[in-house]
């Protein structure tokens, strides 16, 4: 098995999926986990984080950052400069049903910022170790869609394509 990562960066870190990854890697022996979230440490996340912190020796930091904002990602990159992650997990979701007739440029932009643009900014701006691994959490919605899911499905399909491109460039994604 692969050794436990030393520093895990989780985008969408205070959401349900992000906290599951946090719990997993903390119990696997990660020394540091940085949770990146637009909202920071919410009351709902704080309770779960307290449980993880009390059960492990992992240093868990929560950073408020909208990864759709390049200036905010640049600041995140500065903050990570002394401790680049060796695992980046993209668990961010902007799951909102949008019926075909209700699709607008603004709604598409919001979903794409959360699911595609933000992680691209993180991967192209933030430092990472030479052997950094990347996990991009897509959804079956990219294949099966569903009522009101066309924009979310497209965002997940784009994330899948990004993973293929990153692997072709040699990144362990």
């Amino acid at each position: 098995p692969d050794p436990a990562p030393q520093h895990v960066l989780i985008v969408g870190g205070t959401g349900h999926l992000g906290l599951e990854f946090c719990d997993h890697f903390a119990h696997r022996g990660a020394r540091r986990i940085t949770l990146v979230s637009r909202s920071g440490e919410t009351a709902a996340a704080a309770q779960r984080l307290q449980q993880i912190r009390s059960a492990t020796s992992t240093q868990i930091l929560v950073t408020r950052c909208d990864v759709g904002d390049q200036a905010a990602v640049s600041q995140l990159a500065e903050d990570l400069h002394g401790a680049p992650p060796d695992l980046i997990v993209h668990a961010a979701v902007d799951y909102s049903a949008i019926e075909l007739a209700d699709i607008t440029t603004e709604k598409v932009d919001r979903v794409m910022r959360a699911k595609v643009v933000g992680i691209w900014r993180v991967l192209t701006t933030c430092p990472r170790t030479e052997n950094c691994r990347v996990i991009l959490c897509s959804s079956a919605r990219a294949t099966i869609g569903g009522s009101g899911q066309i924009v979310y499905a497209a965002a997940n399909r784009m994330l899948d394509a990004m993973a293929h491109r990153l692997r072709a460039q040699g990144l362990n994604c």
Side-chain angles (χ1 to χ4, degrees):
D2 291 331
Q6 297 299 301
H7 183 192
V8 181
L9 176 72
I10 304 174
V11 177
T14 60
H16 178 74
L17 185 58
L19 290 171
E20 288 297 318
F21 276 110
C22 178
D23 184 90
H24 172 80
F25 287 111
H27 281 91
R28 225 173 137 220
R31 286 189 188 167
R32 177 178 177 175
I33 298 175
T34 301
L35 304 176
V36 177
S37 168
R38 279 183 299 209
S39 55
E41 188 168 331
T42 63
Q47 182 178 6
R48 179 77 188 277
L49 289 172
Q50 180 56 37
Q51 292 170 348
I52 298 168
R53 287 175 175 133
S54 65
T56 70
S57 61
T58 302
Q59 177 189 21
I60 302 172
L61 308 168
V62 180
T63 299
R64 182 180 293 219
C65 175
D66 178 355
V67 294
D69 176 1
Q70 183 60 55
V73 174
S74 294
Q75 180 59 55
L76 175 64
E78 281 186 41
D79 295 345
L80 294 172
H81 187 69
D86 57 342
L87 175 62
I88 298 173
V89 178
H90 180 47
V93 174
D94 189 339
Y95 176 80
S96 50
I98 305 170
E99 295 298 330
L100 188 58
D102 298 328
I103 295 174
T104 64
T105 302
E106 293 79 20
K107 290 177 182 179
V108 171
D109 285 349
R110 188 187 74 235
V111 173
M112 294 300 166
R113 280 172 56 107
K115 198 68 179 170
V116 180
V117 174
I119 191 60
W120 185 253
R121 286 188 171 142
V122 168
L123 293 173
T124 58
T125 305
C126 292
R128 57 182 186 256
T129 62
E130 185 177 324
N131 296 319
C132 183
R133 294 174 293 155
V134 176
I135 298 172
L136 303 178
C137 295
S138 183
S139 169
R141 293 284 182 224
T143 303
I144 60 174
S147 180
Q149 300 299 308
I150 191 166
V151 176
Y152 186 69
N156 280 283
R157 179 57 75 196
M158 290 175 74
L159 199 64
D160 295 343
M162 183 187 300
H164 287 287
R165 178 180 178 182
L166 292 169
R167 278 195 304 271
Q169 294 173 345
L171 189 61
N172 185 352
C173 181

